Amino acid sequence: MTLDRKSAQLALLWIALAATLVRLAPAALVHLTEDEAYYRLWAQHLQWGYYDHPPMTAWWIALGQAMVGDTPLGVRLLPTLAVGATTWLLGDLALQLGENRATALRAAVWYNATLLVAVGGFLATPDAPTSFFWVLTLWSIARAAQGRAAWWLAAGAAAGLALLSKYSGLFLAPGVLLWMVMDAKARPWLRRWQPWAAALIAAAVFAPNIWWNAQHHWITFAKQFGRAAPEPLQLGRVPEFLLTQFFLLNPLVAVFGVRGAVQAFIDARRGTPPRSLLAIASALPFLAYLLVHSLHARVQGHWPAPVYAPLALCAAAAAERFGA
C-alpha cells in the first residue's frame, strides 16, 4: 500500500469520526420517533423477522441497549456508528476502484451532505444497516476485482446481511450482474464460480428470515411485496418522486450524480467504462424499480437510502472529471 493511499485512508477516518461525533449528541438527546419506538419494542423480543421488516434493526437496537442502556442513545448507537463506517467504506471504495484521493474524500463528505443522511443519519431505522451492508458488499467486490477472488464470499455474506436489514437488498444481485455484463474487465467473473458462490452465501444468510415467514403466514413478504401489486396510474407521483430525491440527495450531489451516471453509460457503450461503474450499475435496478413504482403509488422519501452512498461516489467522480 502506497504512502498516499494510507494518507487518504487516514483522512477518510478523520471524516468518518467527525461525522459520527457530530451525530452522537442528537442521537442521545432527541426523543425517539414513532417508528423508532416501534422498532424498540421489537428489540424486546428478538426474532428472525417482524411484520414490517427483516430483523436487523431490532438486533442492532438490542446490541446498542446492551452497551449503553435502554436510552435514546442505546437505541441509536449502532445506526449512528454505521453511518460513520459507511462513510469510511465509501471513500475507500473509491480508492479501490482507482479514483484519486480528492474524489474519495469528496465522496465521503458529499454522502454526509445529502439531506437524508445529514438530518436523519442518527435515526434507528432499517435504512442504516441496509446502507452499511450495501456499501460493504460493493467494497468487498472491489477488492475481489483486484484479483483477490475470496472477497466474493465476503460480498455474499454482506449482501445476505443487507437482505436481513431490508428487502431492497434484493436489488444488489441484478445490479452487480449488470456491472459484470457492462464492464469488459469484470465480464470474466461470469465464468468463474466465486460470484455464484457469493449468491448462494447471501441466500443462506437470508434463509432464516424465509423460514420465519413460512412459520408466520408469510406476513412480511405479503406486507412488503404487496406494494408491487398493480394499481391505476398516478403520473403525478413521478415528478413528486424525482423532486423529493433531488432535494434529499442535495441538489449538488443530484446534478453531478445524474451527469456522472449518463456519462458512465455513454463511456461503457464506447468500451471505456469509468472506474465508478460498479457504484452506478449496482444502484440502477433499485432506482428503476422505484421509478416504476412511482407510476402508481407514492415512493417514500427514505426508500432510496441504500443507494445514496453509491450515488455520492458517482457524483464525486463526475465532479472530478468535469473539473468542478
Side-chain angles (χ1 to χ4, degrees), residues 116 134 167-176 178 237-238 241-242 244-246 248-249 253-254 257-262 265 277-295 297 299-312 314-315:
L116 188 68
W134 189 295
Y167 293 152
S168 51
L170 286 167
F171 291 94
L172 258 172
V176 172
L178 178 63
R237 299 294 190 195
V238 176
F241 166 58
L242 296 176
T244 298
Q245 292 311 308
F246 179 77
L248 287 180
L249 262 172
V253 177
V258 170
R259 188 175 183 183
V262 170
F265 286 102
L277 185 61
L278 172 61
I280 301 165
S282 63
L284 189 63
F286 187 35
L287 291 173
Y289 162 73
L290 292 174
L291 183 61
V292 171
H293 185 90
S294 71
L295 292 171
V299 173
Q300 298 298 323
H302 62 90
W303 286 3
V307 299
Y308 271 39
L311 289 175
C314 173

Side-chain angles (χ1 to χ4, degrees), residues 51 167 213 216-229:
Y51 172 63
Y167 293 152
N213 269 278
H216 293 82
H217 310 288
W218 304 101
I219 58 171
T220 320
F221 286 7
K223 163 77 173 178
Q224 294 298 338
F225 298 131
R227 300 179 191 273

Side-chain angles (χ1 to χ4, degrees), residues 60-213:
W60 277 25
I61 290 174
L63 182 56
Q65 289 175 323
M67 295 170 68
V68 298
D70 187 8
T71 63
L73 182 59
V75 170
R76 295 168 172 150
L77 180 62
L78 262 69
T80 302
L81 296 177
V83 174
T86 302
T87 298
W88 187 89
L89 284 171
L90 178 64
D92 196 59
L93 171 62
L95 297 174
Q96 296 278 357
L97 295 175
E99 300 289 354
N100 61 28
R101 173 193 172 100
T103 299
L105 299 183
R106 193 195 305 248
V109 171
W110 279 12
Y111 173 61
N112 284 273
T114 62
L115 187 59
L116 188 68
V117 176
V119 175
F122 64 90
L123 298 178
T125 69
D127 296 317
T130 310
S131 299
F132 169 72
F133 290 121
W134 189 295
V135 175
L136 182 60
T137 301
L138 301 183
W139 182 83
S140 300
I141 291 173
R143 294 180 73 85
Q146 295 176 354
R148 293 170 282 188
W151 278 97
W152 274 106
L153 308 184
L161 293 171
L163 274 168
L164 283 179
S165 304
K166 203 171 184 181
Y167 293 152
S168 51
L170 286 167
F171 291 94
L172 258 172
V176 172
L177 182 61
L178 178 63
W179 164 69
M180 288 192 287
V181 169
M182 293 184 64
D183 191 335
K185 292 182 180 179
R187 213 166 292 148
W189 286 111
L190 291 168
R191 299 189 295 271
R192 299 185 62 177
W193 63 269
Q194 288 91 346
W196 308 106
L200 291 176
I201 291 172
V205 172
F206 181 53
N209 181 253
I210 300 176
W211 172 83
W212 182 90
N213 269 278

